[in-house]
């Protein structure tokens, strides 16, 4: 299962995600009255590597895939960010995602910068052996710019623990020793961390609960709709229902959505998806489209799929009270303004889905120290980090009378710029 699930509605998206990321950055830079020298350093990634990856496919032919690794900024620590496998991967998308990682690691104040990797491929149409060969060759090609103190990848859309293991093994072969801290999101048996799998979803729920408290909404019995039932969405569903008593009334994946006003059992939905390949057709539910799901009258809406699903076209029709962005970049800047005017609270991606990279940090710490943490330790540290970050962001949004995305960006950009200033220029 991938970190997130693809939804077809984004395929019609017209905005370039890098332009969206730049707009968000410039809005924060304006508020901070940032000088040109910092703007330029942060608008352009520090390093971009594009590789042509030859893979011998199962019928004996050689196919060449295009992959990227974008290292946006490392002023606060080694570059950090996942690797995405998706047919629509573009360099500009990876550049946007890398920049968002810089802000995300800064918002939760972990000692990393931001990076992202992406390979344009359709893993649903490839065999496991082909994906392994692709992963290993990509790992080899980018290994020159990676390392436990340089750049540390992780899972993202359509990649998971097994890809991380192939990556870890290949990198270790290249450097001549096992190096568990080079990548996170590994299985526990090879120095993964307990709690990493659920971390994005758990972090999303922690921030959803905090946002609900601020609005005086009781999460017990609150209605929830989730777009995307991959790693982030399915764990968020399970945790918010099981631990907080919320009612999941709609979920979806790339094939469509399901709805039941009496509530869906997240475990049974996941079983159904594992068995049939989709949430669609789940017993006792009626079918709805991904677009309809977004417009449901719910307390909490969790977009947990891909970019640009809440846009100027549908923002006026959104009826949720709180939107918690488990996906990266689901809301466009124009939609953000409309939602803010309507009084809808948006917990932005760089805060709402930062649980994943936060536990990646815990995994990295365990990797470099060769120590093991317990699940309880991971969960309680994650909770503390997420609540601290939520309070920081919420406080700035109230103080400056800006939405939570701008507040999170102001906090993050300030932290990164302070690090750049403190370090100075060399040579
Ligand atoms: N891909 C995840 C994200 O977008 C996790 C990144 C990481 O753990 O490094 O935040």
């Amino acid at each position: 299962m991938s970190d997130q699930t693809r939804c077809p509605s984004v395929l019609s998206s017209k905005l370039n995600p890098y332009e969206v990321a730049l707009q968000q950055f410039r809005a924060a830079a304006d508020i901070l009255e940032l000088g040109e020298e910092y703007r330029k350093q942060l608008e352009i990634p520090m390093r971009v590597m594009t590789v042509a990856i030859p893979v011998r496919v199962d019928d004996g032919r050689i196919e060449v895939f295009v992959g990227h690794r974008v290292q946006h900024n490392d002023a606060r620590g080694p570059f950090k960010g996942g690797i995405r496998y998706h047919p629509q991967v573009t360099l500009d998308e990876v550049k946007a995602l890398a920049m968002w990682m810089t802000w995300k690691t800064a918002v939760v104040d972990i000692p990393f910068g931001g990076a992202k990797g992406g390979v344009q491929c359709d893993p649903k149409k490839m065999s496991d052996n082909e994906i392994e060969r692709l992963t290993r060759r990509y790992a080899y090609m980018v290994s020159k710019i990676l390392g436990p103190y340089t750049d540390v990848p992780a899972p993202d859309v359509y990649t998971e623990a097994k890809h991380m293991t192939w990556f870890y093994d290949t990198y270790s072969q290249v450097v001549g020793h096992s190096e568990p801290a080079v990548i996170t999101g590994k299985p526990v048996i090879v120095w993964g961390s307990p709690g990493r799998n659920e971390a994005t979803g758990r972090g999303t729920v922690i921030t959803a609960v905090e946002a609900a408290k601020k609005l005086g909404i009781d999460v017990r019995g609150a209605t929830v709709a989730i777009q995307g039932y991959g790693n982030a969405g399915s764990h968020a569903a399970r945790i918010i229902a099981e631990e907080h008593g919320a009612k999941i009334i709609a979920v979806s994946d790339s094939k469509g959505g399901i709805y039941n006003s009496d509530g869906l059992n997240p475990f049974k939905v996941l079983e159904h998806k594992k068995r049939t390949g989709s949430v669609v057709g789940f017993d006792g539910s009626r079918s709805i489209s991904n677009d309809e799901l977004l417009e449901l009258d719910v307390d909490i809406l969790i977009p947990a799929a891909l970019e640009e699903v809440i846009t100027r076209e549908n923002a006026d029709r959104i009826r949720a009270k709180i939107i918690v962005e488990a996906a990266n970049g689901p809301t466009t800047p124009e939609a953000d303004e409309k939602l803010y005017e309507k009084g809808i609270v948006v917990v932005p991606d760089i805060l709402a889905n930062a649980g994943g990279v936060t536990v990646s940090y815990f995994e990295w710490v365990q990797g470099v120290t060769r120590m093991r943490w317990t699940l309880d330790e991971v969960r309680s540290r994650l909770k503390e980090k997420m609540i601290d970050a939520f309070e920081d962001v919420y406080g700035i949004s109230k103080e400056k009378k800006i939405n939570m995305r701008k507040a999170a960006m102001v906090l993050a950009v300030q932290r990164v710029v302070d690090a750049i200033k403190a370090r100075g220029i060399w040579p």
Side-chain angles (χ1 to χ4, degrees), residues 120-389:
Q120 197 187 74
C121 65
D122 190 349
K124 287 187 176 170
K125 295 195 180 132
M126 295 169 73
S127 71
D128 240 32
N129 282 331
E130 289 170 340
I131 296 173
E132 176 173 353
R133 287 194 288 273
L134 170 72
T135 304
R136 287 185 178 277
R137 182 67 183 224
Y138 172 70
Y140 169 72
M141 294 177 100
V142 295
S143 64
K144 292 157 185 64
I145 58 166
L146 300 181
Y149 298 102
T150 319
D151 181 356
V152 182
D156 196 74
V157 172
Y158 291 151
T159 60
E160 47 159 319
K162 74 177 176 198
H163 307 84
M164 303 304 109
T165 314
W166 293 325
F167 203 107
Y168 155 62
D169 182 69
T170 306
Y171 181 86
S172 297
Q173 302 299 336
V174 170
V175 297
H177 61 269
S178 292
E179 187 42 88
V182 72
I183 193 160
T184 58
K186 303 179 296 301
V188 173
I189 187 71
V190 285
W191 294 99
S193 176
R196 173 61 184 86
N197 245 338
E198 62 166 30
T200 307
R202 182 167 291 280
T204 299
V205 172
I206 294 168
T207 60
V209 169
E210 293 308 303
K213 273 188 209 160
K214 300 287 183 201
L215 293 183
I217 295 171
D218 191 356
V219 178
R220 191 155 298 279
T223 51
V224 180
I226 302 180
Q227 187 194 47
Y229 216 63
N231 182 277
S234 66
H235 282 294
R238 171 180 65 80
I239 294 164
I240 203 163
E242 186 182 57
E243 297 179 20
H244 301 278
K247 189 160 81 171
I248 316 290
I249 63 164
V251 302
S252 69
D253 59 27
S254 62
K255 301 206 172 69
I258 53 172
Y259 174 88
N260 183 338
S261 59
D262 293 331
L264 298 157
N265 178 325
F267 297 94
K268 291 195 175 146
V269 173
L270 189 59
E271 263 172 31
H272 176 85
K273 183 173 165 82
K274 279 186 181 153
R275 209 174 51 246
T276 66
S278 172
V279 298
V280 175
F282 179 68
D283 240 11
S285 69
R286 85 171 159 80
S287 289
I288 56 167
S289 69
N290 262 293
D291 292 339
E292 282 167 334
L293 179 141
L294 295 171
E295 296 169 18
L296 288 173
D297 186 4
V298 285
D299 295 309
I300 301 171
L301 171 65
I302 304 182
L306 287 181
E307 298 94 274
E308 290 176 32
V309 292
I310 302 175
T311 63
R312 68 165 181 205
E313 271 89 48
N314 63 0
D316 287 328
R317 296 193 298 274
I318 304 288
R319 288 181 288 168
K321 297 188 180 74
I322 304 170
I323 298 175
V324 195
E325 296 182 335
N328 288 311
T331 312
T332 66
E334 279 173 317
D336 256 336
E337 297 304 323
K338 290 188 176 201
L339 297 171
Y340 190 59
E341 278 165 28
K342 283 169 63 133
I344 297 175
V345 172
V346 179
V347 185
D349 46 7
I350 57 172
L351 169 62
N353 71 31
V357 75
T358 300
V359 177
S360 274
Y361 162 53
F362 300 160
E363 178 175 335
W364 178 84
V365 171
Q366 294 170 77
V368 294
T369 58
R370 295 340 191 229
M371 301 275 281
R372 289 241 193 243
W373 297 12
T374 63
L375 179 59
D376 280 351
E377 205 171 342
V378 167
R379 283 181 176 167
S380 74
R381 284 181 189 253
L382 172 65
K383 191 169 175 189
E384 196 183 310
K385 272 264 172 233
M386 295 302 299
I387 292 179
D388 282 355

Side-chain angles (χ1 to χ4, degrees), residues 2-72:
S2 66
D3 239 35
Q4 288 143 343
T5 304
R6 167 187 165 206
C7 286
S9 56
V10 307
L11 300 181
S12 60
S13 119
K14 287 161 215 84
L15 292 177
N16 175 335
Y18 188 50
E19 283 302 322
V20 171
L22 285 176
Q23 263 187 54
Q24 293 167 344
F25 167 66
R26 286 174 188 151
D30 289 346
I31 294 171
L32 290 167
E33 296 175 14
L34 216 61
E36 193 53 32
E37 66 275 34
Y38 300 111
R39 288 179 189 248
K40 232 179 181 159
Q41 284 188 66
L42 289 166
E43 286 187 4
I44 302 165
M46 280 180 156
R47 175 155 53 186
V48 175
M49 186 177 198
T50 295
V51 289
I53 315 162
V55 176
R56 192 171 297 280
V57 291
D58 291 345
D59 66 10
R61 284 177 307 111
I62 291 170
E63 262 186 48
V64 181
F65 297 87
V66 179
H68 311 283
R69 183 72 184 170
V70 175
Q71 298 176 330
H72 175 255

